[in-house]
Every structure is written in C-alpha cells, then in structure tokens.
Amino acid sequence: MLSMSLQQYDDFLKKNKLSANATQIQMVKRSGQRIQKAVERYFTEHGMSQELRNYDWEFNLIESDEVNAWCMPGGKVAVYTGIMPIAQDENGLAVVMGHEIAHAVAGHGGERMSHLLAVQMGGLALTAALSQKPQATQQLWFAAFGLGAQIGIVLPYSRLQEHEADRLGLIFMAMAGYSPDTAVPLWERLAAQKGGKAPPAFLSTHPTDASRIAEIKSYIPEAWRYYKKQ
C-alpha cells in the first residue's frame, strides 16, 4: 500500500498543476507539518508508533477549482485551491487536513480499496490486480482515496469511518494548537455548498448532515483536553 501510494501520488503530481500562491502553499505546509507532529506524538503515546514507521509525509496545494482534499497512506496529502475559500483561514484548513489525515492513519482508505477489489475485481489481491489490470486498479485506488469524483467512481466513507475520522481529526488539530471549535462552522460552510447544482467533490465521499454535525459537537470537549498552544 505504501509503495503504491508513493507511485500514484508522484503520478498525480506530474499530471496536475501545483499552485503558485506562496501564502496558501506555506499555510498548507505549516498546518500539515504541525498536524503530522501531533499524529506522531499521539501514536507514540498510545504505543502505535510502529504503524507510522514508513511514512514519508508530503503536503501539496493543487491548482483546481474543485473543492477537495485527501491523504493517501504514507502521509501523501493534496489540498485543492478550491477548498481554501471555504476553509477561510489556517484553523479551517486544519479541520480539513486533520480529518483527511485521520482517515489515512486509521486505515480507512485501505479498507475501501479492499472493498473495491472485492466488488470490482472478484477479490483479487492488490499485487495481482496491479499486474493484470493496472489502469483499472489505478482508478480504484483514486476512488478509494478521495479522487473518485474525477474519474466517475464515488465510494463514500462509512458512517463508522466518518465518526472515527471526525473524532481523531479534532484531537490531532487540537494537539497541533488549532481550535477544535472551528470544526462545526467549517462543516456547515461545506454543507451550504450543496445548494448549488454540483455539490463539492469533498462531500461525495464525506456526506454532511445535521446529525453528523451534532456528533462532531459532542467530540469537541474531548479534543480540547488535547489542546497544545503553539
């Protein structure tokens, strides 16, 4: 999974334009690196540091009107410029990045990839699928890690996965020194985008509703206990 992540991420960067907005680039990298350190500290404190041993973190801002962001295994993160106006500031961006990184470190993308291999390729192992159907496997990979809206395959995260990423994402951003209170307004702004003809790609894989936002509110007191002022 980590090896394929590196390959697919590099391929994605070659085919997509990186932003030239120096201010936003620095914001993405600064927020990403702070959350990275928080994740590493959290995993060390819980005796799970081995799970991150082969991570090679990278944070890039992609020039695109698409409202999206994702994280592949190994800490390969992409944020699209289209989501920056909704994030509004570094705290809002930290909500997005904390949530996406939480999905990755919790193994949700891998679970979705296994599901797609079972449904679309009759349960082929990843290595076999890569050798026999490389192009189709690449499309499944992108679908599993949040690029599905671009290629016509959309696989929403399960409710359980969403709750786990919501909770962990809030903890990670709080440990990184960002206010978890900014999470609810961010998700409300994303939900408001649904009013248009085409909802954000981000919400194709991350459905938002009132009950979920209420659940996020219930996680905030726990997240504040992890807050570390930078």
Side-chain angles (χ1 to χ4, degrees):
M1 292 289 287
L2 290 173
S3 176
M4 187 171 181
S5 178
L6 177 61
Q7 176 188 337
Q8 298 300 336
Y9 190 73
D10 287 346
D11 185 59
F12 174 85
L13 293 180
K14 289 174 185 175
K15 295 176 180 177
N16 292 271
K17 183 180 179 182
L18 293 176
S19 173
N21 187 318
T23 301
Q24 290 187 346
I25 290 170
Q26 286 305 310
M27 190 187 300
V28 167
K29 292 188 181 297
R30 182 170 57 248
S31 176
Q33 289 166 358
R34 283 171 61 172
I35 292 173
Q36 170 195 340
K37 291 176 182 176
V39 170
E40 291 170 344
R41 189 163 68 250
Y42 180 90
F43 271 63
T44 297
E45 290 172 358
H46 288 78
M48 302 184 298
S49 58
Q50 280 292 99
E51 295 184 23
L52 302 176
R53 65 187 182 282
N54 292 318
Y55 269 53
D56 182 16
W57 297 87
E58 194 170 346
F59 310 94
N60 282 292
L61 181 63
I62 307 302
E63 187 65 45
S64 172
D65 291 336
E66 189 174 324
V67 178
N68 205 7
W70 43 263
C71 179
M72 289 182 181
K76 301 299 184 181
V77 177
V79 176
Y80 294 51
T81 53
I83 207 169
M84 299 300 283
I86 299 173
Q88 293 187 349
D89 56 24
E90 193 166 329
N91 262 284
L93 178 62
V95 178
V96 173
M97 296 187 75
H99 181 87
E100 287 306 295
I101 288 171
H103 272 308
V105 299
H108 296 162
E111 292 170 8
R112 298 207 304 172
M113 187 64 187
S114 296
H115 173 73
L116 285 169
L117 286 170
V119 172
Q120 302 283 340
M121 294 192 178
L124 275 180
L126 179 57
T127 50
L130 274 172
S131 62
Q132 296 175 29
K133 301 177 181 179
Q135 187 172 358
T137 304
Q138 182 184 56
Q139 287 193 324
L140 295 183
W141 178 273
F142 285 156
F145 292 100
L147 288 81
Q150 290 186 338
I151 60 174
I153 302 174
V154 176
L155 181 67
Y157 285 100
S158 72
R159 182 68 68 175
L160 182 62
Q161 289 171 334
E162 281 299 292
H163 286 327
E164 186 173 22
D166 287 338
R167 176 178 169 271
L168 287 175
L170 288 171
I171 289 172
F172 296 155
M173 69 175 291
M175 291 179 71
Y178 297 106
S179 168
D181 286 342
T182 57
V184 170
L186 181 279
W187 284 104
E188 289 175 340
R189 291 195 297 273
L190 278 166
Q193 298 294 307
K194 284 184 175 182
K197 290 183 179 178
F202 193 76
L203 293 184
S204 296
T205 52
H206 303 76
T208 301
D209 56 31
S211 64
R212 178 166 174 225
I213 288 176
E215 196 78 25
I216 290 171
K217 289 180 181 178
S218 74
Y219 299 143
I220 290 175
E222 179 191 15
W224 272 113
R225 294 200 292 271
Y226 286 87
Y227 180 76
K228 304 282 186 184
K229 188 174 181 179
Q230 300 294 305

